Amino acid sequence: MRQLAARPEPIAFDPQRSALVVVDMQNAFLSRGGLFDLAGFDLSAAQACIEVNARLLPECRRAGVKIVYLQMSYRPDLSDGGDASSPNFHKELALVLMRQRPELAGKLLVEGTWDWKIVDPLTPEPGDVVVRKSRYSGFCGTDLHARLDALNVRHLFFTGVATNVCVESTARDAFFAEFFPILVQDAMNHSGPEFTRLATLWNFENVFGWVTDSAQLIETLQAPAPLRTAAATERAR
């Protein structure tokens, strides 16, 4: 077990039973010309978020932490986006913007488009898990829970976009599913005012999980593994 400095208190985790969940690091949310940019969201912190994830991913892979990408995605016919009877139809930004601006129809978060792709510096590697989702939470209508169980994962480190929407939605559902959610605060980017980011961090520090940063996580992963007693090895099985 490794001891990670976090708020509100340190948390012990086994890298072999942990996963880094990279949420929606797609052109839509991080690149000029993508969905967020077209909608007028501030992308000034996007590059820093990409760079932090680019440093964190190889360290997690080396330590044996599983890598799970979530990718917001719609079929070309938008049949998985919901119709007018679904709140997703009325609130999800890509669906709304494509209806409001016909020239964007079929171009936002649709499978195979540039907008939908994970940004180039963070392209998944062989062995990484990619879970496509059509709702804010990665657990909604997907096999994410089953895949994490198959990997024998208990602790989930969250990065990605947006802190206060898809990251928070997925991490809350992780808590309800009996996983241990840990937000890596500098590896995320929020949408909207700064208070939305602070509210999410407060929620997880005080109610739903833990909060750390990439430097603390990398330092913990790089530290020599502690010696395990026979009893500890048996408990981890």
Side-chain angles (χ1 to χ4, degrees), residues 33 35-36 47 74-75 78-79 87 90 114 161 176 178 198:
L35 169 62
F36 268 15
Q47 186 57 39
Y74 294 119
R75 301 187 188 105
L78 304 183
S79 59
H90 297 278
W114 171 86
V161 185
F176 300 134
E178 303 297 339
L198 297 176

Side-chain angles (χ1 to χ4, degrees), residues 183-197:
L183 303 189
V184 186
Q185 63 180 18
D186 60 326
M188 305 185 301
N189 196 21
H190 65 288
S191 62
E194 171 69 2
F195 70 76
T196 63
R197 183 185 74 87

Side-chain angles (χ1 to χ4, degrees), residues 23-26 28-32 36 41-50 52-53 158-168 184-194 196-198 200-201:
V23 181
D24 297 354
M25 292 292 284
Q26 298 164 253
F29 307 113
L30 295 161
S31 301
R32 297 295 176 189
F36 268 15
F41 282 88
D42 180 12
L43 296 184
S44 60
Q47 186 57 39
C49 179
I50 293 170
V52 172
N53 277 271
F158 283 91
T159 73
V161 185
T163 307
N164 54 307
V165 185
C166 292
V167 175
E168 179 168 356
V184 186
Q185 63 180 18
D186 60 326
M188 305 185 301
N189 196 21
H190 65 288
S191 62
E194 171 69 2
T196 63
R197 183 185 74 87
L198 297 176
T200 293
L201 297 180

Side-chain angles (χ1 to χ4, degrees), residues 44-232:
S44 60
Q47 186 57 39
C49 179
I50 293 170
E51 291 172 0
V52 172
N53 277 271
R55 291 194 298 270
L56 188 56
L57 279 159
E59 297 295 341
C60 286
R61 291 187 179 104
R62 275 193 286 269
V65 175
K66 314 299 188 298
I67 307 298
V68 178
Y69 285 86
L70 301 183
Q71 188 172 19
M72 194 71 180
S73 175
Y74 294 119
R75 301 187 188 105
D77 63 2
L78 304 183
S79 59
D80 50 351
D83 59 21
S85 66
S86 166
N88 194 66
F89 176 91
H90 297 278
K91 297 301 292 187
E92 200 286 309
L93 183 60
L95 297 177
V96 172
L97 206 58
M98 286 191 288
R99 289 197 302 275
Q100 292 177 343
R101 298 174 56 176
E103 73 275 14
L104 297 176
K107 296 180 179 179
L108 303 180
L109 293 181
V110 171
E111 289 184 8
T113 63
W114 171 86
D115 194 71
W116 161 84
K117 290 182 179 178
I118 293 168
V119 294
D120 287 342
L122 306 180
T123 299
E125 295 188 359
D128 294 344
V129 174
V130 179
V131 176
R132 293 182 172 87
K133 63 186 180 70
S134 60
R135 298 296 186 274
Y136 297 142
S137 172
F139 286 94
C140 181
T142 74
D143 63 351
L144 176 60
H145 195 160
R147 297 182 81 165
L148 293 172
D149 283 346
L151 293 170
N152 197 29
V153 162
R154 299 303 307 139
H155 289 77
L156 302 178
F157 300 102
F158 283 91
T159 73
V161 185
T163 307
N164 54 307
V165 185
C166 292
V167 175
E168 179 168 356
S169 297
T170 307
R172 281 181 181 236
D173 280 352
F175 174 83
F176 300 134
E178 303 297 339
F179 295 99
F180 288 78
I182 304 161
L183 303 189
V184 186
Q185 63 180 18
D186 60 326
M188 305 185 301
N189 196 21
H190 65 288
S191 62
E194 171 69 2
F195 70 76
T196 63
R197 183 185 74 87
L198 297 176
T200 293
L201 297 180
W202 189 95
N203 282 337
F204 276 82
E205 181 176 344
N206 291 280
V207 182
F208 294 111
W210 293 261
V211 178
T212 191
D213 60 41
S214 61
Q216 294 285 359
L217 181 52
I218 289 172
E219 180 181 351
T220 303
L221 293 173
Q222 289 179 340
L227 294 176
R228 302 177 70 172
T229 65

